[in-house]
Amino acid sequence: MEIRQLHYFMEVAKREHITEAAETLHVAQSAVSRQIGNLETELGVDLFVRQGRRVRLTPIGRVFLESTKQVIQMLDSATQEVQEYLQPERGTIRITYPISMAAYTLPTAISSFRQEYPNANFQLKQNIYYDVIEEVINGEFNMGLLAPVPVEVDKVEGHVLFTENVIALLPKDHAFAKAKDVRLEQLRDESFILLPEGMHFRELVIQACAEAGFEPNIAFEGDDVDALKGLVSAGLGIALIPEITLVDTTPRFTVKKKIKQPQVTRTVGIITPADRQLLPTEKIFYNFLYDFFRH
């Protein structure tokens, strides 16, 4: 069995078409067909069912695909690790993160890191909270930047970098626009603008309101924090958002207010796999993040 065969197999499984796989791999169709045939002969099973010009994975083919993905990930990681041990300052840092980390936290850290390590590379992937955790567990990434940092999650370890406040963003003509701060209970009759269901920050807001003794009246939903800001600017309601997303500027026609009684906070940090070591360049960035946010 050859690594090349496994790459051919994965590409055919992905595209369900040998010709398209061959075009992507920049090899002849006959070469792909021959290698798949050799692989099936060696394993003694059919990995694909032919359906006209297309192919479909057999049940055993799907099982073999999952194992193949793990093998390729291990080989890629091993190759990368060797390269990074030789030149760790030129390695690649792969991070998955939710959109709330994209506006300020991650870009600021990366910009500062690259001043010290200008030859380091980054591969970034934006995803929702729970998918970030899953990507670290299944080996697609070794680092995830998250808020809040999960606790007691199997197969990942959480590392808190800092704790941030969640604040209220109000239209500029709101009754509390000139107040120094607000109690969350004072907002019980407001129209709330929240992120969609399934987003972890939405759950945090609903839980905070519950602790203040009420269920928020959800008037609108926005796909991301910037959408929440826009809807508040339009006077359609209020939103609770992470304070760090307003570091650079407050949106037009809005005011931001600290929340007290109860103070709403969330942790921000990194998750790493419990059963895998970070690669050398990733370790450098991991240690940099701790020092960066401590200062």
Side-chain angles (χ1 to χ4, degrees):
M1 188 179 302
E2 302 175 2
I3 296 176
R4 178 179 56 178
Q5 290 176 326
L6 299 181
H7 280 294
Y8 286 10
F9 164 72
M10 290 179 62
E11 195 63 39
V12 173
K14 175 182 178 181
R15 302 191 178 277
E16 296 185 335
H17 200 289
I18 291 179
T19 301
E20 292 178 5
E23 291 173 351
T24 302
L25 294 165
H26 304 293
V27 297
Q29 176 182 337
S30 58
V32 175
S33 297
R34 183 169 59 254
Q35 291 300 331
I36 295 298
N38 291 342
L39 184 59
E40 290 179 321
T41 298
E42 183 175 348
L43 293 172
V45 296
D46 290 328
L47 298 173
F48 294 99
V49 175
R50 279 67 180 175
Q51 298 178 338
R53 295 185 177 182
R54 307 201 70 84
V55 295
R56 298 284 189 274
L57 283 168
T58 62
I60 192 63
R62 288 193 291 271
V63 173
F64 186 69
L65 176 62
E66 293 306 312
S67 298
T68 300
K69 288 179 179 178
Q70 296 177 22
V71 169
I72 296 300
Q73 284 178 356
M74 290 175 63
L75 289 172
D76 289 345
S77 294
T79 301
Q80 184 177 345
E81 188 169 4
V82 171
Q83 293 172 343
E84 291 187 10
Y85 270 116
L86 297 175
Q87 293 184 306
E89 72 282 357
R90 293 178 176 271
T92 299
I93 300 153
R94 303 176 66 251
I95 303 177
T96 178
Y97 61 97
I99 194 169
S100 62
M101 300 288 102
Y104 182 84
T105 308
L106 189 56
T108 303
I110 290 177
S111 177
S112 297
F113 181 79
R114 286 181 63 85
Q115 292 179 17
E116 192 170 341
Y117 298 94
N119 295 314
N121 300 302
F122 283 86
Q123 291 182 8
L124 309 176
K125 183 178 180 182
Q126 185 174 294
N127 220 323
I128 63 173
Y129 184 90
Y130 296 106
D131 285 349
V132 168
I133 297 174
E134 184 60 30
E135 286 176 329
V136 172
I137 290 175
N138 66 26
E140 293 182 55
F141 290 83
N142 280 337
M143 300 180 70
L145 192 64
L146 274 183
V149 179
V151 295
E152 298 181 356
V153 175
D154 291 341
K155 299 183 180 180
V156 299
E157 295 179 350
H159 317 271
V160 176
L161 295 173
F162 62 93
T163 299
E164 69 170 338
N165 291 322
V166 174
I167 65 172
L169 188 68
L170 315 175
K172 68 174 185 178
D173 57 356
H174 193 277
F176 296 129
K178 295 184 179 180
K180 180 181 178 181
D181 46 39
V182 297
R183 298 191 311 275
L184 191 54
E185 190 276 338
Q186 290 177 291
L187 304 176
R188 66 164 54 243
D189 296 324
E190 299 290 337
S191 295
F192 277 74
I193 303 169
L194 269 61
L195 293 173
E197 291 187 6
M199 303 288 278
H200 193 279
F201 189 75
R202 175 192 176 102
E203 298 173 13
L204 183 151
V205 171
I206 292 176
Q207 178 61 34
C209 292
E211 292 176 5
F214 69 95
E215 181 178 342
N217 171 34
I218 303 172
F220 295 94
E221 294 182 349
D223 290 336
D224 53 41
V225 173
D226 284 338
L228 302 188
K229 295 177 185 177
L231 292 170
V232 175
S233 295
L236 299 177
I238 70 165
L240 304 191
I241 61 176
E243 186 173 26
I244 202 166
T245 64
L246 295 173
V247 167
D248 293 328
T249 182
T250 301
R252 294 180 62 192
F253 311 121
T254 69
V255 292
K256 58 183 181 181
K257 299 297 172 183
K258 290 185 177 180
I259 300 173
K260 64 176 184 178
Q261 297 179 4
Q263 185 179 30
V264 186
T265 63
R266 68 172 187 171
T267 55
V268 179
I270 310 167
I271 59 169
T272 57
D275 57 353
R276 300 190 310 276
Q277 295 293 320
L278 294 178
L279 295 172
T281 311
E282 292 171 338
K283 289 180 181 178
I284 292 174
F285 185 63
Y286 173 89
N287 292 330
F288 172 86
L289 288 176
Y290 263 96
D291 290 338
F292 179 77
F293 286 109
R294 188 176 67 230
H295 293 101

